Amino acid sequence: MRDLASDLRHCAINTATLGFREPIEVVIDAVARAGFGAIAPWRREIEGHDVKTIARRIREAGLAVTGYCRSTYIPATDRAGFAANIESNRRAIDDAAVLGARSFVLVVGGLPTGSKDISAARAQVVEGTALLLEYGQSRGIRIALEPLHPVYTADRSCVSLLSEALDICDRIEGCTEVPWLGICLDAYHVWWDPNLKHDIARASKRIFGFHVCDWLVPTQDVLNDRGMMGDGIIDLREIRSLVEEAGYDGFVEAEIFSTLDWWKRPMGETLAVCRERFANAT
Ligand code: ZN
């Protein structure tokens, strides 16, 4: 296992961790100053801005870009809506390419408004993912499916299990030495899965990203009450060891949605605690 305590360059900060309170330029400088190796920006911080200038700023700060977050939800009530969602994602992939991101993160979406047909939603996800894989390849951007905890199935992701995401990868891309379609493994979403060990080994080269935070007990809000690494019940070190045994050598990325706690603290404090917890609790 890699020693995160001695080399913070393996660690990344997803900008969601800092609560989207400062302009991206300020965030880039703070993350670089704190010694991290990479950053994961969100579209809300990039779109409508000069993407090339932001990309240069990230490069000059010495940071890599992990996964660009994140997709427009794919399932729609009609074909025009589906096409619009795909088009929106293609434009985001264009930006991911300018940023030099290692992948584009797909949070696939749940049921379209008014629908109770989860099978149809899942079928749209497979169709849309295949289209985005093709487009991503043409732009040099890998596509990372992020399965979300089943509590979000209705409104955020009808892909819940790591095994489901891997089945989609296999179905679309088949067996390949150098995959362009893979997964982003977020410990918060998959820690409870009884097949996790088996499925992480199965994922192997398809692991394009690895997100960490912690599951607090009790959790006050399943969306925005994520814990700092070490403050909850996820065995993050065990999951990281499985991920690294599977061959993953990319960044370990802190992604903490926390309106109740960390988003109220000064950015420098959150980054300092992240650094300490990467070393001692991840
Ligand atoms: Zn995540």
Side-chain angles (χ1 to χ4, degrees):
M1 238 173 120
R2 294 176 296 178
D3 180 9
L4 302 183
S6 68
D7 195 354
L8 203 60
R9 301 292 300 168
H10 296 305
C11 301
I13 295 293
N14 185 299
T15 58
T17 305
L18 303 171
F20 304 116
R21 289 169 295 173
E22 301 281 354
I24 187 67
E25 293 80 6
V26 175
V27 173
I28 291 165
D29 292 348
V31 170
R33 220 173 24 245
F36 297 100
I39 191 167
W42 280 63
R43 287 167 71 182
R44 58 192 283 179
E45 300 166 300
I46 303 294
E47 290 178 353
H49 298 270
D50 182 345
V51 186
K52 280 185 186 155
T53 303
I54 294 172
R56 192 180 329 116
R57 182 114 177 194
I58 293 173
R59 265 197 317 276
E60 286 174 359
L63 296 171
V65 175
T66 58
Y68 185 38
C69 291
R70 63 164 167 68
S71 60
T72 301
Y73 298 149
I74 294 171
T77 45
D78 55 29
R79 292 304 293 177
F82 174 82
N85 293 344
I86 297 303
E87 193 51 33
S88 164
N89 284 321
R90 286 187 177 129
R91 298 293 74 80
I93 289 170
D94 290 339
D95 288 344
V98 175
L99 291 167
R102 296 193 166 190
S103 66
F104 178 55
V105 177
L106 283 199
V107 172
V108 298
L111 290 163
T113 310
S115 170
K116 295 184 179 182
D117 191 345
I118 189 138
S119 300
R122 288 184 174 134
Q124 288 190 56
V125 166
V126 172
E127 183 187 351
T129 301
L131 293 169
L132 295 174
L133 170 63
E134 196 183 327
Y135 192 77
Q137 278 183 302
S138 77
R139 293 292 182 276
I141 291 294
R142 302 186 300 176
I143 306 296
L145 278 165
E146 183 169 344
L148 261 51
H149 189 285
V151 74
Y152 304 111
T153 307
D155 57 350
R156 291 178 180 268
S157 176
C158 59
V159 174
S160 309
L161 302 171
L162 174 54
S163 61
E164 258 185 293
L166 292 172
D167 287 347
I168 293 172
C169 294
D170 288 348
R171 184 169 157 192
I172 294 174
E173 199 180 31
C175 191
T176 172
E177 260 307 292
V178 186
W180 282 80
L181 180 58
I183 56 103
C184 179
L185 190 80
D186 188 325
Y188 191 78
H189 295 303
V190 299
W191 66 271
W192 57 273
D193 186 338
N195 297 317
L196 190 61
K197 186 173 183 177
H198 171 271
D199 291 334
I200 288 175
R202 177 186 164 197
S204 182
K205 287 178 185 167
R206 290 207 195 269
I207 305 174
F208 293 170
F210 178 39
H211 294 174
V212 293
C213 67
D214 218 331
W215 188 283
L216 301 176
V217 180
T219 291
Q220 299 186 52
D221 173 352
V222 287
L223 189 60
N224 286 317
D225 188 26
R226 293 187 180 203
M228 175 61 68
M229 296 81 80
D231 287 349
I233 49 75
I234 303 180
D235 191 343
L236 289 167
R237 189 148 288 185
E238 166 68 9
I239 296 178
R240 181 163 75 86
S241 80
L242 295 173
V243 164
E244 293 185 6
E245 271 167 33
Y248 180 74
D249 62 359
F251 294 96
V252 183
E253 177 176 327
E255 185 188 43
I256 308 171
F257 296 84
S258 173
T259 49
L260 301 170
D261 186 354
W262 296 98
W263 289 11
K264 291 180 179 166
R265 304 199 197 193
M267 205 160 62
E269 180 186 341
T270 302
L271 290 170
V273 178
C274 279
R275 196 168 47 204
E276 187 265 314
R277 299 301 178 82
F278 272 127
N280 299 315
T282 307

